[in-house]
Amino acid sequence: MELKYEKKKREYRSFTPIKNIMKHPFSPIVLFGGLLILLQLIGSTGAIKPSVLNFLSPVLTRYIVALGFTILLGYAGLASLGTAGFMGLGAYLVGYLFKDLGVAAETAFIVGLVLSLFLGTIVGFISLRIEGMYLAIVTLGLSEILRNFFQNSPLTGGANGMNLVNGIKFFGFFSSNSLTYNPMFYVIVIFMVILMLWTINIINSPTGRAFLSIKNSTSAAQAMGISVLKYRLSAFLLATLFAVTGGMLNMIRSLTAYPVTWGIDLSLNVLAAVVIGGTKNIWGVLLGTFIIFGLKDLVLVRISFFQTYKNAHLMFSGALIILVVMFYPGGVTKLFTDLKRLAIKGYKKIKTLWKEYRYGKDIEQTQ
Amino acid sequence: MAVDIINRLILALADAAPLALVTLAIVLIFRTSFTTNFAQGVIATTGAYIVTIFYNRYLLLKFPTSNPFLLTLVAFLSGIIIGFLLGVFIDVILIRKSKFSNALTKQMITMGIVLFIMGLLPTLFFKAELNMPTIPYFFSGTFVFETSSGQNIIIQKNHIYAVALATTVITLVFLMLKYTKWGLGVRSTAANERVAGMMGVNTKFITAMSWGIAGALGTLGAIIYASYNITINVGFMTEMQVNGFLASILGGFSTFFGPVVGAIIIPILNQLSYYIMPKLQIGGQNLGVYYKVFVYLIILIIILIKPIGLFGKKIAKKV
């Protein structure tokens, strides 16, 4: 008896490292990133059509933005409408610094981050000092100002947009529109993996718990000694950082930026992706991003109704936001847990039915 | 110089007319529903679309011989009624029925409405000619006052009518707030929703009516704004809405008249900035393009100094 137990223990111990690694919250993220890189590696030999691979990178850059928004909306309980403005700012900053001032792309990236964070601090500090609700208003104003700036300023190329014709070199990878398989995809995936890991870390840290407590009750959080302004501002700055990174990566990948792209509909689409994903789970948000941004490029493009009416897909995302917020706040994440519960319930029911058929009904139960 | 300033002030006043209406609508909803209504702009846009489509596609074709003034009036009224109904619909069907309701979810529902209507309008009114019906006799033309310095004071006729209409409507809403039962209900709901409900105020009806009136006010604002020779598209009220929000913060959300004053200040600041900024240069570049940035910065600085707004009252919160 004792021996058997010992043997089992030893067996268990020998398996634990692998099991622990698999159970670690980081492993599915790394696995996902590895799979994406593998997909590109295999695809770039010609096995997969470029159009299928090319649709992935804009979706992934928007997912990076949505990750920041998850922290802001799902954990700090704030809504911002400046997401698209910050994305556009990032895109134009990296383009301007690289093209017109001749700065190396990596330096331009860091300078862009610092400048945008500076802007985010000003706007966030002023609006969050009053009340959480004011953030959405002030960022909406900021995004309008930024859109106006992109449209009229000579620095951004105005309505003609900015175009990096000669390509850009970033961390040793060269991105150009002449390449059928753009290697910048690897950089985007690596950034995505790092930011996903960071998000998970923030969520599970004291900072994440402070965010949640502020969301649930500002007064209670304050009474526990949590500085509401500090944490709200840090959540907003994180969202800004992610949005700017997403915008910069998008610019480096697609090499073009037009002022029309960075309108309020993009901000609201990011919100839709996060809401559909259940606002708290990063995997749910990934699904939400694919539903909002991926479906449009993969499925809706082929339906003739959506071909004639270019804006009709906005209706779809808007209706999804309203329905999910009204009736199913858990989003896709909750859908999966509910389906799992339903499946377990059904399995148990079938099992009892089978037993009843096999052995007869339980007499005690029927009485 | 003085004439130029007067001309600019007149333009600012004309811009303030639709802005004040939109701002009042935003504040009305904020006070009764405790949320910021981001759908205000698109509700108004829908009303404006209805007006133009109804007038150009139906009324002009069916009754070509009637008085154009009457037709315009019918179109305007139908648009305002649609705005009212849309507002009531959003409150009764969407916001009241939502399962978990707090300020953030209400905000998100209004954002969803923005996205939905932004997709719906271009789909429904594909390739429509969107010119706001103008009344030929009343709306066109200018008054010109000659001054001794040689410059003329120019007032457009439609600006006079717009300002007069907006002032009348805003005064009417303020009188209603002060003297009618609905106004009393709004004020008590704004003070404390639960206690108002206990005292026998039908807060649901009050809120729905506020949404309806806000929709109607917004549509009227959109009609006035579009009559300044502005082509209508889906986003044409966005800037107005942003300015409305900023005016509300500037004047303070806690009163009704503060935001309206804010809505008069912002166009004046705009004209001031439009006057000053082209004269400034940084690095050989003219700053005239960025005159809106200047206004936004001024508003941010005012909010930084006085977070509750210019006319806001500090409200102590009970835990």
Side-chain angles (χ1 to χ4, degrees), chain A residues 81 126 129-130 133-134 136-138 141-142 144-145 148-149 152-154 268 309 311 314-315 318 325-326 329, chain B residues 30 34 36 38 94 99-100 103 107 111-112 114 116 119-120 126 242 245 253 285 289-290 292 296 303-304 307:
Chain A
L81 287 173
I126 292 173
R129 209 160 67 102
I130 320 169
M133 207 187 276
Y134 284 35
I137 299 173
V138 176
L142 179 74
E144 268 305 293
I145 291 289
N148 197 354
F149 180 80
N152 296 322
S153 172
L268 289 173
Y309 304 108
N311 282 325
L314 294 179
M315 223 159 45
V325 168
M326 277 177 74
Chain B
F30 185 83
F34 308 99
T36 46
F38 288 101
L94 300 180
K99 223 172 166 186
F100 304 98
Q107 240 182 9
M111 289 173 190
V114 172
F116 185 79
L120 181 72
F126 192 55
V242 170
F245 278 127
F253 264 117
Q285 209 194 358
V289 187
Y290 311 126
K292 282 175 188 165
Y296 186 70
I303 299 168
L304 185 67

Side-chain angles (χ1 to χ4, degrees), chain A residues 41-341:
Chain A
L41 272 179
I42 296 170
S44 57
T45 56
I48 303 173
K49 270 190 209 164
S51 62
V52 176
L53 286 175
N54 284 346
F55 115 94
L56 269 174
S57 21
V59 174
L60 292 183
T61 48
R62 274 149 184 75
Y63 176 56
I64 289 173
V65 179
L67 272 179
F69 209 83
T70 311
I71 298 174
L72 188 70
L73 183 71
Y75 287 84
L78 298 167
S80 151
L81 287 173
T83 323
F86 279 115
M87 282 176 77
L89 188 66
Y92 278 120
L93 267 177
V94 81
Y96 176 71
L97 288 174
F98 178 78
K99 192 181 168 194
D100 292 344
L101 298 188
V103 182
E106 292 85 357
T107 325
F109 194 82
I110 292 161
V111 171
L113 281 184
V114 171
L115 281 178
S116 320
L117 280 183
F118 177 68
L119 189 63
T121 317
I122 296 173
V123 172
F125 177 74
I126 292 173
S127 59
L128 288 171
R129 209 160 67 102
I130 320 169
E131 211 181 312
M133 207 187 276
Y134 284 35
L135 181 69
I137 299 173
V138 176
T139 47
L140 176 67
L142 179 74
S143 77
E144 268 305 293
I145 291 289
L146 283 176
R147 205 180 53 84
N148 197 354
F149 180 80
F150 299 153
Q151 208 134 36
N152 296 322
S153 172
L155 306 179
T156 60
N160 297 328
M162 188 180 267
N163 200 347
L164 305 177
V165 189
N166 299 326
I168 188 167
K169 205 173 180 201
F170 190 60
F171 283 123
F173 291 94
F174 184 72
S175 165
S176 164
N177 275 339
S178 54
L179 300 168
T180 33
Y181 293 99
N182 201 320
M184 210 43 76
F185 183 80
Y186 301 120
V187 178
I188 292 175
V189 170
I190 289 164
F191 264 94
M192 186 200 73
V193 168
I194 292 170
L195 291 176
M196 276 171 96
L197 297 180
W198 196 25
T199 313
I200 285 263
N201 259 346
I202 290 168
I203 287 169
N204 294 326
S205 70
T207 314
R209 288 194 289 277
F211 288 159
L212 264 184
S213 69
I214 291 172
K215 185 191 177 189
N216 290 333
S217 166
T218 321
S219 320
Q222 246 169 346
M224 288 288 129
I226 292 168
S227 164
V228 174
L229 176 63
K230 179 184 143 198
Y231 280 101
R232 277 186 168 164
L233 188 60
S234 51
F236 176 62
L237 286 185
L238 278 173
T240 306
L241 187 77
F242 280 54
V244 171
T245 311
M248 285 177 169
L249 288 177
N250 200 41
M251 181 68 181
I252 288 169
R253 168 65 181 74
S254 71
L255 302 159
T256 48
Y258 299 100
V260 194
T261 322
W262 320 108
I264 189 175
D265 49 336
L266 180 59
S267 303
L268 289 173
N269 266 330
V270 171
L271 172 92
V274 174
V275 166
I276 289 165
T279 69
K280 274 193 184 148
N281 189 314
I282 59 166
W283 297 105
V285 173
L286 181 65
L287 261 180
T289 316
F290 267 93
I291 289 171
I292 293 294
F293 294 106
L295 270 188
K296 189 186 89 189
D297 292 343
L298 267 194
V299 181
L300 296 187
V301 174
R302 297 187 188 166
I303 301 169
S304 63
F305 175 77
F306 288 98
Q307 279 171 348
T308 357
Y309 304 108
K310 290 259 161 55
N311 282 325
H313 67 92
L314 294 179
M315 223 159 45
F316 169 76
S317 349
L320 270 179
I321 294 184
I322 298 172
L323 288 177
V324 171
V325 168
M326 277 177 74
F327 301 115
Y328 212 69
V332 184
T333 323
K334 178 120 184 296
L335 189 70
F336 274 107
T337 47
D338 279 3
L339 282 179
K340 200 174 159 191
R341 201 179 300 147

Side-chain angles (χ1 to χ4, degrees), chain B residues 1-15:
Chain B
M1 180 70 188
V3 177
D4 208 28
I5 288 173
I6 290 171
N7 273 336
R8 294 218 172 277
L9 275 180
I10 289 165
L11 283 180
L13 213 59
D15 280 343

Side-chain angles (χ1 to χ4, degrees), chain B residues 225-290:
Chain B
Y225 184 50
S227 73
Y228 297 166
N229 286 329
I230 283 165
T231 46
I232 300 174
N233 56 36
V234 187
F236 95 110
M237 284 298 280
T238 314
E239 195 193 332
M240 192 55 77
Q241 185 191 349
V242 170
N243 280 344
F245 278 127
L246 291 178
S248 310
I249 296 184
L250 190 64
F253 264 117
S254 50
T255 59
F256 283 106
F257 74 92
V260 177
V261 176
I264 296 167
I265 293 175
I266 284 186
I268 293 175
L269 280 180
N270 251 331
Q271 291 291 342
L272 190 75
S273 167
Y274 194 69
Y275 182 71
I276 292 174
M277 288 299 270
K279 295 179 179 167
L280 301 178
Q281 283 191 337
I282 289 181
Q285 209 194 358
N286 200 326
L287 290 181
V289 187
Y290 311 126

